[in-house]
Amino acid sequence: NAGVTQTPKFQVLKTGQSMTLQCAQDMNHEYMSWYRQDPGMGLRLIHYSVGAGITDQGEVPNGYNVSRSTTEDFPLRLLSAAPSQTSVYFCASSYRGAARGGLTPLHFGNGTRLTVT
Amino acid sequence: GQSLEQPSEVTAVEGAIVQINCTYQTSGFYGLSWYQQHDGGAPTFLSYNGLDGLEETGRFSSFLSRSDSYGYLLLQELQMKDSASYFCAVRDRKGSGNTGKLIFGQGTTLQVKP
């Protein structure tokens, strides 16, 4: 069971380039989300999805697009990379649970470390 | 909106007990979670409190007081491997139902010294 798999692990982009960060999970989780982590800023939610075909914005969505065509995959697209998007990106998934007030545990991938020059 | 506050750093010695506090402001409360993250690694789930009181999982315990909008993570018998960042998190109120969206605090870096 691989859990949540993110690729690539490292990426360097030039300003203005576009790219897609891949995320796949094999746990049949309904919910998937993307976070970015910057020093001293904790984890900030970029976009999330509650199921195939349904996505919504998080706290910091500008400059990013997502789509969810299957339950397993949730790619994050950077449209035109900027130095401010230099960060570590984490994808996470969780299952729908009626208990715990909706706070079922998030399972995180190992992250993609992105540098934009 | 939601906001969470936690201390930025805590230092303790091996074998000791340490408490990491978290205060939150939310428009609706759906429980407080804690995550651990080692340097260079991914966050991993530690515990959850939906009701007031103490939840214990081995050496780790988490406490919640909803009336005070306050919780803490208690780590006992500290080990060097407990050196990590610890994040509290609440569910985002926007929308209805369980969306899986969590809002995280900025994290507390715990340094365990020999």
Side-chain angles (χ1 to χ4, degrees), chain B residues 36-71:
Chain B
Q36 179 192 57
Q37 184 181 31
H38 285 100
D39 197 27
T44 56
F45 174 79
L46 283 179
S47 69
Y48 165 82
N49 294 77
L51 300 174
D52 291 349
L54 194 68
E55 294 282 341
E56 297 180 70
T57 308
R59 293 187 298 113
F60 293 2
S61 303
S62 56
F63 172 83
L64 176 66
S65 170
R66 289 175 294 172
S67 60
D68 296 320
S69 296
Y70 164 75

Side-chain angles (χ1 to χ4, degrees), chain B residues 66-110:
Chain B
R66 289 175 294 172
S67 60
D68 296 320
S69 296
Y70 164 75
Y72 65 72
L73 181 69
L74 191 73
L75 295 82
Q76 302 182 72
E77 301 172 16
L78 280 175
Q79 302 175 7
M80 297 298 291
K81 67 178 182 180
D82 297 329
S83 292
S85 293
Y86 293 85
F87 296 89
C88 56
V90 294
R91 197 187 94 184
D92 192 319
R93 177 66 177 91
K94 183 180 177 182
S96 61
N98 173 11
T99 64
K101 294 170 58 181
L102 286 192
I103 303 300
F104 286 82
Q106 294 188 0
T108 299
T109 300
L110 169 64

Side-chain angles (χ1 to χ4, degrees), chain A residues 31 35 37 40 42-43 45 48 50 59 90 94 96-97 100-103 105-106 108-109 113, chain B residues 30-33 35 37 40-43 45 48 87 91 98-106:
Chain A
Y31 305 133
Y35 289 86
Q37 185 173 35
L43 292 146
L45 182 65
Y48 72 100
V50 299
E59 303 169 87
F90 287 101
S94 60
R96 183 201 306 259
R100 296 176 175 262
L103 284 187
L106 293 188
F108 285 87
R113 284 142 185 86
Chain B
Y30 298 88
L32 186 71
S33 290
Y35 286 77
Q37 184 181 31
F45 174 79
Y48 165 82
F87 296 89
R91 197 187 94 184
N98 173 11
T99 64
K101 294 170 58 181
L102 286 192
I103 303 300
F104 286 82
Q106 294 188 0

Side-chain angles (χ1 to χ4, degrees), chain A residues 19-100:
Chain A
M19 79 158 294
T20 300
L21 308 186
Q22 301 292 343
C23 176
Q25 54 95 4
D26 62 0
M27 297 172 283
N28 203 31
H29 285 170
E30 293 90 344
Y31 305 133
M32 297 186 75
S33 49
W34 277 101
Y35 289 86
R36 60 176 288 174
Q37 185 173 35
D38 304 295
M41 298 290 290
L43 292 146
R44 291 184 293 169
L45 182 65
I46 305 172
H47 285 286
Y48 72 100
S49 168
V50 299
I54 307 170
T55 64
D56 203 350
Q57 296 181 349
E59 303 169 87
V60 289
N62 293 340
Y64 308 95
N65 272 357
V66 292
S67 59
R68 183 115 179 255
S69 56
T70 66
T71 299
E72 293 78 21
D73 299 298
F74 191 42
L76 178 72
R77 281 182 287 279
L78 279 71
L79 308 172
S80 177
S84 61
Q85 293 179 305
T86 293
S87 188
V88 181
Y89 292 84
F90 287 101
C91 178
S93 71
S94 60
Y95 60 88
R96 183 201 306 259
R100 296 176 175 262

